[in-house]
Amino acid sequence: MALQITDSNFEDLLAQGKPMVVDFWATWCGPCKKIGPYIEELAQQYADQVIIGKVDVDENDGLAIRFGIRNIPTVLFFRNGEVADKQIGAAPKAAFEAKIQSLLK
């Protein structure tokens, strides 16, 4: 299951040193609901290799502001503590998986 990432736990998760995938979403967002199951499946599939979680932008606007999130869903891919890639808007599961694979190289 994808982790719930908040303004308060983000830095601790990032400090673990693993690649991290962060889905910025909201409960009212249709495209967010479309990719939600993909994020959950990938969180299970890559549980040992990558931290995968979701940030509710309505409850954690600090992270949304910090990373300039203006459209949701936006998924950020972190490597070595820095944003290495991003996906704005809904996309097929394969697109997210390809970006995760590139984090692991």
Side-chain angles (χ1 to χ4, degrees):
M1 187 168 149
L3 296 171
Q4 181 178 357
I5 298 177
T6 64
D7 289 339
S8 60
N9 73 359
F10 175 80
E11 288 299 330
D12 290 337
L13 292 170
L14 196 61
Q16 291 182 22
K18 284 185 176 180
M20 192 158 85
V21 177
V22 182
D23 174 18
F24 289 84
W25 72 290
T27 56
W28 47 264
C29 168
C32 299
K33 292 177 185 176
K34 180 177 180 173
I35 70 162
Y38 305 156
I39 300 298
E40 293 294 336
E41 290 169 18
L42 292 166
Q44 290 180 356
Q45 185 176 341
Y46 291 96
D48 295 335
Q49 299 168 287
V50 180
I51 297 168
I52 299 179
K54 300 168 70 77
V55 174
D56 184 329
V57 297
D58 290 332
E59 295 177 6
N60 299 280
D61 61 347
L63 285 172
I65 291 167
R66 175 177 170 182
F67 292 105
I69 304 301
R70 291 186 172 83
N71 300 303
I72 55 173
T74 293
V75 181
L76 299 181
F77 299 81
F78 292 84
R79 183 183 323 136
N80 300 323
E82 301 290 328
V83 176
D85 202 350
K86 68 181 161 183
Q87 172 66 49
I88 300 173
K93 180 182 174 185
F96 296 103
E97 191 162 13
K99 290 177 185 284
I100 291 171
Q101 286 292 327
S102 71
L103 289 178
L104 297 173
K105 292 181 180 175

